[in-house]
Amino acid sequence: MGAQVTLLGLDFGSTTSCAVAASATLTRAAGSGRVELGALEERYRSEMALTPLAGDALDLDAAAALLDRWLAEAGVAPGALFGGGAIITGLAARRSNADALAALIRARVGEALLAVAEDPCLESWMAFMGSAAPLSRARPGEPLINLDIGGGTTSLALGLAGEVQRTGCLLVGARHVALDPRSRRLRALSPEARAAFDHLGLRRGPGEVLSQAEAEAVVAFYVELLEAAITGRAGAFDTPAAARHVQVPFSLPEGLATPALTFSGGVGELIYAGLAGRPLPEPAHHGDLGVDLARAILASPRLSARVATPASMGRATAYGLLRHATQLSGATLFLPRPERLPLRDVPILARISPASSDAELDHAMDLFRWSTRGGCLEIAFDDVSATTLKRLGARLADALRQGGAIPEHPLVLLTAQNAGKALGGYVTGWGALPVDLIVIDEVQAHGAQFVQVGCLCDQVLPVSFYGMTP
């Protein structure tokens, strides 16, 4: 124990992109014996760079050069990465070649790093963890909503005591309306901006000048949507224009106390500058409506009355990816074939427990047979007694045998309990059942749909999840 590892967070957004790198040590907690990431030390934080575009697509050559420069400046060798994450967000994720950029990232940094083109709930979760989680833990009884406002989206996450409870995403951001900073002539409108213009009766298109009053009308429409989201007014999204701006609905639990708010993202930085009394740039300074939107949020009693200040703002998603995208397995892994690692994009097929019926277990194993990439089952235990583990292991083995020949692709079992080695032994009959099984314990999937498993380091595995549910 005590191995030094390197983590990397990358965020390619609608307008800007950035990287954060850190070093950490694998340490064993004195009380629990759990392996943790300790002595986390940020060693590199890039300047914000404009997300490279080539017409309506991402400029992959420029993105590769940007990534190579970040890795060189951070002193990061791709093969040395232990974990972290990369995400392509907002309008960048909607470009026609976003998947090609994800592939480029994987080629540069290797399989240790999660790279996804669009996962709005993961983005919401990561922005909260990278920005608001420490503040939320310090105020355990107070609900807190983080709004990560960038060029294309507002990612929302409700947290309590540092844990995310709800997520959602609105297509509200600064870059849906692109302007020439000097002339205020429209350069481009996203489909969502066009819907907002039509709703507001604004007959403007590319090449025409957008007046300040018209810009303020657009951001007032955006602010209404943000206010409705944080106050739970679902009816505000019933109009066609408002509904067009919902990517993932954000709902609040019944009886929730009035939450505090935090902001992150590029617009979030402008909001905190305004709250600190610093002058904001002139409208259209960045060629979008970011400054106008920040000013309108500051003028909104609902959005500015209970604002808390987190330690990290503009790079919240990148930092959240670096620090929280990678979980460490427990030390009691069941891993007969470590050479099979890493595993990428393994679907989480079902969530089961010892109380699941035989039919439910059979269905889960049928899904595993049909998945050519292998499959993962998440298992919830109320207790991990030897009797419970042995009984469930035998039932899973029977379900595997029911369908005939056992597939060669890997079956991954996940559990939050410290039971990996024992459960794996019971499922395989201590090696008698020819299944390519991995059991990873002491990890939380957070409602994810896919898991990625890195290579063994000091007897633990780096594990990351994506495809978060709201």
Side-chain angles (χ1 to χ4, degrees):
M1 202 51 58
Q4 296 288 317
V5 296
T6 300
L7 306 172
L8 182 69
L10 301 170
D11 181 9
F12 285 85
S14 303
T15 308
T16 58
S17 301
C18 65
V20 182
S23 299
T25 303
L26 297 183
T27 61
R28 194 175 296 281
S32 65
R34 177 102 169 84
V35 179
E36 300 173 343
L37 287 171
L40 185 72
E41 181 180 355
E42 185 178 306
R43 67 193 230 190
Y44 176 73
R45 179 175 285 234
S46 75
E47 294 294 326
M48 287 289 189
L50 290 175
T51 299
L53 301 176
D56 291 332
L58 296 163
D59 187 332
L60 298 180
D61 290 338
L66 188 63
L67 184 54
D68 288 341
R69 176 164 64 82
W70 287 338
L71 293 172
E73 290 175 351
V76 173
L81 286 172
F82 178 75
I87 193 166
I88 307 165
T89 62
L91 298 181
R94 300 167 70 186
R95 304 285 178 175
S96 60
N97 58 345
D99 286 340
L101 176 57
L104 184 154
I105 293 170
R106 288 189 189 278
R108 286 292 193 282
V109 302
E111 297 293 341
L113 203 67
L114 165 69
V116 295
E118 185 174 41
D119 190 342
C121 292
L122 175 66
E123 183 181 357
S124 300
W125 190 82
M126 288 299 177
F128 183 95
M129 298 304 294
S131 174
L135 192 63
S136 178
R137 284 191 289 270
R139 303 179 178 186
E142 181 180 21
L144 190 152
I145 295 175
N146 186 67
L147 296 92
D148 186 71
I149 310 176
T153 58
T154 296
S155 299
L156 302 107
L158 167 69
L160 190 63
E163 296 295 328
V164 174
Q165 308 292 317
R166 302 284 178 89
T167 59
C169 185
L170 300 180
L171 296 170
V172 170
R175 204 70 181 175
H176 287 278
V177 178
L179 300 164
D180 182 274
R182 294 194 182 92
S183 68
R184 297 185 60 89
R185 291 187 182 278
L186 288 167
R187 287 178 169 170
L189 294 174
S190 73
E192 289 72 31
R194 172 52 65 195
F197 273 43
D198 291 344
H199 175 74
L200 297 168
L202 302 180
R203 309 304 178 202
R204 293 281 184 261
E208 296 183 282
V209 174
L210 187 72
S211 72
Q212 183 59 30
E214 290 169 331
E216 290 172 359
V218 175
V219 297
F221 173 74
Y222 289 164
V223 165
E224 287 178 11
L225 299 182
L226 297 179
E227 290 177 342
I230 65 151
T231 55
R233 291 186 290 115
F237 297 96
D238 288 344
T239 67
R244 182 67 185 261
H245 285 75
V246 178
Q247 187 173 22
V248 179
F250 181 68
S251 63
L252 299 178
E254 291 289 336
L256 183 74
T258 302
L261 302 180
T262 55
F263 295 91
S264 57
V267 175
E269 287 191 293
L270 292 170
I271 291 168
Y272 284 109
L275 289 172
R278 297 194 296 272
L280 298 185
E282 291 297 314
H285 175 79
H286 299 294
D288 56 30
L289 296 184
V291 176
D292 298 272
L293 183 54
R295 291 182 189 276
I297 290 171
L298 288 166
S300 163
R302 284 195 176 95
L303 294 171
S304 63
R306 290 174 53 81
V307 177
T309 304
S312 175
M313 288 175 284
R315 295 170 177 82
T317 302
Y319 189 78
L321 285 163
L322 175 148
R323 183 64 184 88
H324 300 285
T326 300
Q327 295 185 44
L328 299 185
S329 69
T332 61
L333 289 165
F334 184 82
L335 184 63
R337 299 177 58 193
E339 71 277 4
R340 293 281 280 130
L341 302 176
L343 300 178
R344 187 179 77 177
D345 302 337
V346 180
I348 299 176
L349 303 171
R351 291 170 172 82
I352 61 175
S353 76
S356 297
S357 67
D358 288 344
E360 288 170 329
L361 297 187
D362 289 342
H363 178 64
M365 289 308 175
D366 285 342
L367 292 175
F368 164 63
R369 291 176 185 283
W370 298 332
S371 175
T372 58
R373 288 183 295 174
C376 176
L377 305 180
E378 185 180 0
I379 304 177
F381 288 100
D382 289 329
D383 75 89
V384 287
S385 65
T387 300
T388 299
L389 292 174
K390 185 175 182 179
R391 184 176 295 130
L392 180 62
R395 292 179 65 206
L396 288 171
D398 286 343
L400 274 168
R401 295 188 189 96
Q402 291 299 321
I406 295 173
E408 295 183 0
H409 48 246
L411 173 63
V412 180
L413 303 183
L414 302 175
T415 177
Q417 305 300 321
N418 182 359
K421 199 174 293 293
L423 180 59
Y426 285 126
V427 172
T428 62
W430 308 102
L433 190 68
V435 56
D436 187 3
L437 181 69
I438 300 171
V439 186
I440 303 173
D441 58 3
E442 298 189 70
V443 293
Q444 297 274 1
H446 296 291
Q449 295 171 321
F450 295 91
V451 62
Q452 206 157 273
V453 184
C455 294
L456 195 65
C457 179
D458 262 20
Q459 303 307 306
V460 297
L461 293 176
V463 185
S464 58
F465 299 94
Y466 68 98
M468 301 293 181
T469 52

